[in-house]
Amino acid sequence: MATDKYISLYGLLASYLLVFVGHFKLSFCFSSKNFNLSGRDGIHWSSAGATWYGSPDGAGSDGGSCGYGNAVSEPPFSSLVTGIGPSLYKSGKECGACYQVKCTKHPSCSGKPVRVVITDFCPGGLCASDSAHFDLSFTAFGAMAISSEEDTLRDAGILEIRYARVACDYSGKTIAFHVDQGSNPNYFAVLIEFEEGDGDLASVYLKEASSDEWRPMQQSWGAIWKLDAGVALRPPFSIQLTSRYSGETLAAKDVIPDGWKPGSMYKSVVNFP
């Protein structure tokens, strides 16, 4: 009888050990590349402050500190954009990241989430003092309201909202490369737009024609990346992108053609899943 009890006890301990080891292995096998931006169990909401800025026609500033220019008022941004406080802007590294925002504490709030894209920086005031703050465009702020009560909600001026990081969705658009006006044969800078999924980038590399070397580009400011080669670069250029959150990598082969021009936009045939 005593022997049977010891055998049962050892069996139970062995079972617990297997469960623990299995959990331990699963924990170390977890990869952030497979992690859903919205959270594995649904969207994870946090609290933030919100204000609005810019003209009544809706896009905040003309482009903002991320460098998107007039594109912020056009599809797919469609003025649903935001400036962001330092805690989320991260020196421009979060340009292009997408969030859902919603308000529930004002009578004119609809409670429905609105997807916005970071296109600008809000450096001071409540943007700096709040743990997180969204300085939304006129359009985006009003989009949180019950229909026909947009102006009433804007009149509130300052709101407490809920926000969550989500994947970007540009309805099947491919990544576009807008060559900076200051580019020349020895210096190449490019604004990168419409990255689906994470929306922001960890690294960018450029490869010249007839070369196997991927040369690292540096973030110049906002969503603009640069390569100051010091010697003439040989187009066409392929550009390799790695997303910041998931670590996914893709390459746009020969996306910048021979004869490229500053100020021109070149569309790739690729995007993140």
Side-chain angles (χ1 to χ4, degrees):
M1 293 288 291
T3 302
D4 291 342
K5 287 173 66 177
Y6 284 126
I7 291 173
S8 298
L9 179 60
Y10 285 136
L12 184 60
L13 288 172
S15 298
Y16 279 126
L17 182 60
L18 285 171
V19 170
F20 173 79
V21 171
H23 176 73
F24 184 83
K25 289 175 69 178
L26 282 171
S27 297
F28 274 79
C29 289
F30 176 79
S31 170
S32 62
K33 291 184 180 181
N34 297 320
F35 189 75
N36 189 323
L37 278 174
S38 298
R40 300 185 72 176
D41 301 313
I43 293 179
H44 295 166
W45 296 97
S46 301
S47 295
T51 46
W52 65 271
Y53 76 117
S55 62
D57 60 0
S61 65
D62 292 333
S65 63
C66 289
Y68 293 112
N70 293 332
V72 296
S73 62
E74 301 167 358
F77 295 125
S78 301
S79 300
L80 291 172
V81 296
T82 186
I84 205 78
S87 65
L88 295 178
Y89 186 69
K90 299 178 182 176
S91 301
K93 292 181 174 61
E94 296 302 304
C95 285
C98 295
Y99 285 83
Q100 283 190 352
V101 294
K102 63 180 179 179
C103 70
T104 59
K105 294 191 174 183
H106 187 280
S108 295
C109 290
S110 71
K112 296 178 181 178
V114 177
R115 189 190 304 265
V116 295
V117 183
I118 294 177
T119 60
D120 205 355
F121 178 45
C122 180
L126 291 173
C127 292
S129 60
D130 285 353
S131 58
H133 192 93
F134 289 76
D135 200 18
L136 297 156
S137 70
F138 185 91
T139 300
F141 198 96
M144 296 188 295
I146 296 169
S147 179
S148 78
E149 296 191 24
E150 293 87 352
D151 288 338
T152 303
L153 186 64
R154 292 187 192 105
D155 287 343
I158 303 170
L159 292 176
E160 180 182 340
I161 63 167
R162 302 285 282 168
Y163 76 96
R165 178 75 184 270
V166 295
C168 293
D169 181 1
Y170 292 115
S171 301
K173 288 184 75 72
T174 56
I175 294 172
F177 299 87
H178 194 145
V179 180
D180 187 74
Q181 287 285 2
S183 296
N184 60 58
N186 301 335
Y187 170 85
F188 183 78
V190 64
L191 169 72
I192 304 171
E193 297 180 295
F194 312 139
E195 305 98 285
E196 294 199 327
D198 294 6
D200 50 0
L201 298 170
S203 64
V204 179
Y205 286 79
L206 180 147
K207 186 169 71 170
E208 300 171 71
S210 305
S211 173
D212 293 327
E213 179 187 3
W214 286 102
R215 304 182 65 173
M217 301 183 74
Q218 288 78 44
Q219 184 189 19
S220 178
W221 58 277
I224 296 175
W225 294 74
K226 67 180 181 178
L227 175 58
D228 191 355
V231 296
L233 294 162
R234 302 184 310 278
F237 305 144
S238 298
I239 299 181
Q240 178 180 281
L241 311 174
T242 299
S243 60
R244 176 170 299 278
Y245 193 93
S246 66
E248 297 286 343
T249 297
L250 58 75
K253 181 176 173 58
D254 297 337
V255 67
I256 309 298
D258 196 5
W260 60 267
K261 297 183 183 302
S264 295
M265 178 182 287
Y266 301 99
K267 296 180 180 179
S268 71
V269 295
V270 295
N271 212 325
F272 292 103

